[in-house]
């Protein structure tokens, strides 16, 4: 559900969006496609966001790509757990549309990329 809502929020901005249902599928996508920013749910099946982040940061092609953690649990202990990892930012669900759009724009600007076609 959250993935669908984020997609609906970003599609009007004409970004090229790639989706994965879990961390392993996301890694498969990265083998085939170039991305400029990643929104990663912390609690993905098969490979959670922390495991995904660890693997991606070891890949030279993606070492400097902005990665945003998205979680429904960004309070208390989870907030400290997020800050101990190499996420560039985190968003707490539900993410307001305006916040999501601004974070994606900022991440793209900071990386010098634009995923619009």
């Amino acid at each position: 559900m959250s993935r669908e809502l984020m997609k609906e929020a970003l599609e009007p901005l004409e970004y090229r969006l790639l989706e994965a249902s879990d961390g392993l599928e996301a890694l498969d996508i990265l083998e085939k496609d170039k991305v400029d920013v990643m929104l990663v749910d912390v609690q993905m099946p098969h490979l959670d966001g922390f495991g995904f982040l660890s693997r991606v940061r070891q890949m030279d092609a993606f070492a400097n790509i902005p990665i945003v953690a998205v979680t429904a649990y960004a309070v208390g202990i989870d907030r400290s757990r997020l800050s101990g990892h190499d996420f560039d930012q985190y968003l707490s669900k539900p993410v307001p549309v305006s916040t999501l759009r601004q974070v994606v724009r900022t991440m793209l600007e900071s990386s010098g990329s634009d995923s619009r076609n």
Side-chain angles (χ1 to χ4, degrees), residues 76-97:
I77 193 163
D78 293 301
R79 180 173 286 184
S80 65
R81 187 172 178 212
L82 288 170
S83 66
H85 287 78
D86 203 12
F87 287 106
D88 294 285
Q89 190 167 343
Y90 69 88
L91 296 172
S92 183
K93 293 181 202 175
V95 181
V97 170

Side-chain angles (χ1 to χ4, degrees), residues 3 10 24-25 37 40 53 59 80 95 102:
R3 192 172 77 224
L10 295 172
L24 294 177
E25 183 181 355
V37 65
V40 178
L53 176 73
M59 301 165 77
S80 65
V95 181
Q102 184 58 46

Side-chain angles (χ1 to χ4, degrees), residues 29-87:
I29 288 171
L30 292 180
E31 289 179 11
K32 302 170 192 147
D33 285 294
K34 178 189 180 304
V35 300
D36 298 313
V37 65
M38 296 180 218
L39 300 172
V40 178
D41 195 318
V42 172
Q43 293 192 324
M44 293 185 290
H46 306 294
L47 179 65
D48 71 9
F50 300 107
F52 174 80
L53 176 73
S54 177
R55 289 193 190 182
V56 169
R57 290 297 188 215
Q58 293 174 16
M59 301 165 77
D60 290 338
F62 300 106
N64 297 313
I65 298 293
I67 301 177
V68 179
V70 182
T71 180
Y73 305 103
V75 294
I77 193 163
D78 293 301
R79 180 173 286 184
S80 65
R81 187 172 178 212
L82 288 170
S83 66
H85 287 78
D86 203 12
F87 287 106

Side-chain angles (χ1 to χ4, degrees), residues 3-4 7 11 17-22 25-26 29:
R3 192 172 77 224
E4 187 62 33
K7 180 180 175 182
E11 277 184 330
L17 304 173
L18 304 173
E19 296 180 71
S21 59
D22 62 61
E25 183 181 355
I29 288 171

